[in-house]
Amino acid sequence: ATVLANYVDGQEKPSAASSFLDVISPATQDVLCRVPCSTEDEMNAIIENAVAAQKKWREVPVQQRVRVLIKFHTLLVANKDAIADIIVRENGKTKVDAIGDVTRGIEVVEHALAMPTLMMGDSIEQITNNMDTKSIRQPLGVVAGIAPFNFPAMIPLWMIPLAIGTGNALVLKPSEKVPGAAQMIVKLASDAGVPAGVLNVMHGGKEAVATLCSHPAIKAVSFVGSGHVGQIVYKAATANGKRAQCNMGAKNHAVVMPDAQKEQALNGIIGAAFGAAGQRCMAVSVVVLVGSAAAFLPDLIAKATALRVGAGGEASTDVGPVISVEAKTRILSLVAASIHKGAKVELDGRDVVVSGYEQGNFLGPTVLSNVTPDMPCYAEELFGPVLCVMEAGTLEDAIAIVNSNPMGNGVALFTSSGGAARKFEHDIEVGQVGINVPVPVPLPFFSWTSSKGSLLGDHHFYGKSAVEFYTQSKTVVSRWEFVPTETDAGSVNFSGR
């Protein structure tokens, strides 16, 4: 199988690594390519090269950096289909879902085109006689991005345009499970005119992550992934004096009121629960049926039953495979343990077999009812096509269920009542709230405002908050007193003219 090269100094450079990680098709178990575990010398060289490149890049005027991003955007749009095909092969999601993955990333590039405005500081004159104060934003230096497997294009594109648009250099470590999309995206950025060394790909596993969290030249680390790894990254990065933003685990609820528009609610929940095989950090993994909305359950199960399980490359597929054999085994274990604790199986997709893809990591849509907070299917993030059903007597009871969960990524309420919606959005303790919207992902001119146990760090992803993350604020207080100087001609010269 082909061994991917690191991308350093504007070109692919084969690694001298002695150990490698296989990139395995979730649908077939075929080895698609191999990722090198970059050597310590290679990792240090990539970072040191980025340091040298950033010193020049930070001096490039912001409007010129934006012109490069405009070309980058054009190339991404032109190559969207090809990037999506790589995602389908390596990640297993459907082509429609993969196109969405790339499109949401492109939207962040579009937002970054406003960088001259986004990087503006503030000023006030005459704070005292002849004295003014201004604040400016400057790039940090070299920053690191550590991306997950579930959005091979979108998450790198959360990082790339904002990191380099603000004048930093970026060292990106894609997920070793799905490296191909990020590799292509970085090449396109180079073709767009991003100078050599400003944007780099460092392949590897735990050692690469550890290096990015400890190397003194790395000033900030942006991470998206599991809660366990996110806590390790945050502790290591901050212990070494770096900024860190870590978007981590989730347990997203959809609360359904009796007055909800049933078809809209159920269709939204089905897509949010089982799309991308449940492997979205904003996937709905728990539905809370309030009062008489419990009668919606048979229709919910019927819609889930109608979904077609198959390889992402097949046009008829609704639900693709999960990422790995290990992921499937973990999900099956959590479901079994929950059944043992009293969960009722309303729909069982554990034994699904896909013709022609018998070795694939497939799980059919699975629905568990009678779920309680102490069950593993609720206490753990499943990250698979499994939906837990809970019931609540009132809206207040449903809010209490959601607020008692330690995670705070997303939540949705389905209702026809403005009063219920107002109370919900006011009282709920979750960072991203949807009202009749199952997956309330903010567009890039807002920020990804996850909260509680879903986020470590003080800055959110994309939007103005991300610009603050990738820049250092500097305040300048200046005093200039005008002293007229008469020349022989009797005119007045202004200093610095």
Side-chain angles (χ1 to χ4, degrees):
T2 302
V3 177
L4 294 184
N6 287 320
Y7 200 87
V8 54
D9 199 24
Q11 59 189 331
E12 289 188 314
K13 186 173 182 180
S15 172
S18 58
S19 59
F20 304 88
L21 300 166
D22 291 340
V23 177
I24 299 172
S25 164
T28 65
Q29 306 304 324
D30 292 340
V31 176
L32 303 174
C33 60
R34 306 184 81 198
V35 169
C37 294
S38 301
T39 68
E40 185 176 352
D41 286 346
E42 288 171 341
M43 292 189 287
N44 289 333
I46 291 170
I47 295 169
E48 287 158 14
N49 184 272
V51 170
Q54 193 273 334
K55 289 177 180 177
K56 298 177 182 178
W57 180 239
R58 67 168 297 185
E59 302 301 332
V60 175
V62 63
Q63 69 269 32
Q64 291 185 30
R65 297 199 298 263
V66 166
R67 288 174 195 144
V68 173
L69 290 178
I70 291 171
K71 294 177 182 176
F72 180 40
H73 175 270
T74 301
L75 290 175
L76 286 170
V77 172
N79 290 275
K80 182 191 293 188
D81 206 64
I83 299 169
D85 285 339
I86 295 172
I87 294 171
V88 171
R89 286 197 302 272
E90 293 183 351
N91 172 277
K93 64 175 67 175
T94 65
K95 183 65 175 286
V96 171
D97 215 12
I99 289 286
D101 188 330
V102 185
T103 301
R104 294 310 297 262
I106 289 173
E107 289 174 348
V108 182
V109 182
E110 292 167 352
H111 172 62
L113 301 183
M115 195 56 70
T117 302
L118 292 170
M119 282 195 74
M120 277 185 177
D122 296 297
S123 66
I124 187 169
E125 70 166 359
Q126 202 71 354
I127 58 169
T128 188
N129 200 33
N130 295 319
M131 192 176 291
D132 310 318
T133 301
K134 66 179 178 181
S135 67
I136 59 176
R137 291 204 165 273
Q138 295 183 317
L140 299 177
V142 181
V143 297
I146 302 170
F149 76 82
N150 60 327
F151 283 97
M154 184 183 77
I155 302 300
L157 287 169
W158 279 11
M159 302 168 182
I160 292 169
L162 292 165
I164 68 173
T166 48
N168 299 286
L170 174 68
V171 178
L172 176 67
K173 195 207 88 64
S175 167
E176 62 275 15
K177 294 181 174 68
V178 291
Q183 189 95 351
M184 183 174 182
I185 287 167
V186 170
K187 288 181 189 176
L188 293 175
S190 182
D191 292 344
V194 174
V198 171
L199 182 55
N200 311 272
V201 174
M202 177 196 290
H203 289 298
K206 294 179 181 178
E207 296 78 9
V209 171
T211 296
L212 293 174
C213 291
S214 62
H215 196 290
I218 299 290
K219 302 304 180 186
V221 178
S222 182
F223 167 89
V224 178
S226 71
H228 172 69
V229 178
Q231 290 180 15
I232 293 171
V233 167
Y234 187 79
K235 288 177 183 177
T238 54
N240 286 301
K242 307 180 191 310
R243 287 187 186 178
Q245 55 173 187
C246 297
N247 201 74
M248 308 183 299
K251 182 60 72 170
N252 308 309
H253 300 67
V255 177
V256 183
M257 297 297 290
D259 65 354
Q261 294 184 26
K262 186 171 76 169
E263 283 299 300
Q264 178 200 53
L266 297 186
N267 288 337
I269 290 166
I270 289 295
F274 303 116
Q279 297 175 118
R280 298 178 181 137
C281 60
M282 287 290 282
V284 168
S285 54
V286 184
V287 61
V288 182
L289 301 175
V290 179
S292 60
F296 295 178
L297 183 57
D299 288 338
L300 179 70
I301 294 165
K303 289 179 181 293
T305 303
L307 295 175
R308 295 159 296 188
V309 180
E314 302 290 342
S316 61
T317 296
D318 297 311
V319 181
V322 295
I323 189 66
S324 65
V325 172
E326 293 78 12
K328 179 178 177 179
T329 300
R330 176 181 174 275
I331 295 164
L332 290 173
S333 174
L334 291 170
V335 170
S338 301
I339 294 169
H340 181 72
K341 281 204 159 197
K344 180 183 177 184
V345 182
E346 300 283 356
L347 179 62
D348 195 343
R350 290 176 292 173
D351 296 326
V352 68
V353 176
V354 177
S355 178
Y357 298 93
E358 287 79 8
Q359 300 303 310
N361 308 319
F362 294 102
L363 286 167
T366 297
V367 179
L368 303 177
S369 65
N370 295 340
V371 171
T372 55
D374 61 325
M375 292 179 181
C377 63
Y378 185 84
E380 300 281 340
E381 184 176 25
L382 284 160
F383 231 57
V386 180
L387 180 62
C388 300
V389 180
M390 305 175 80
E391 295 184 13
T394 65
L395 176 62
E396 290 88 345
D397 293 339
I399 290 171
I401 290 171
V402 177
N403 286 350
S404 65
N405 192 280
M407 298 303 175
N409 217 31
V411 67
L413 173 72
F414 289 91
T415 182
S416 295
S417 166
R422 172 66 174 75
K423 178 177 179 58
F424 187 82
E425 66 181 62
H426 181 74
D427 291 351
I428 208 71
E429 296 168 5
V430 175
Q432 299 175 121
V433 182
I435 304 298
N436 298 319
V437 175
V439 184
V441 174
L443 286 166
F445 32 86
F446 288 91
S447 291
W448 179 278
T449 52
S450 56
S451 62
K452 295 168 64 174
S454 297
L455 177 76
L456 285 173
D458 298 321
H459 295 90
H460 294 292
F461 287 81
Y462 59 75
K464 186 68 174 179
S465 187
V467 175
E468 293 172 355
F469 176 77
Y470 286 118
T471 56
Q472 176 63 51
S473 183
K474 180 184 286 186
T475 304
V476 181
V477 182
S478 59
R479 182 177 185 274
W480 291 104
E481 187 172 347
F482 175 67
V483 180
T485 303
E486 297 216 3
T487 67
D488 293 339
S491 63
V492 175
N493 292 325
F494 292 90
S495 174
R497 186 163 181 172

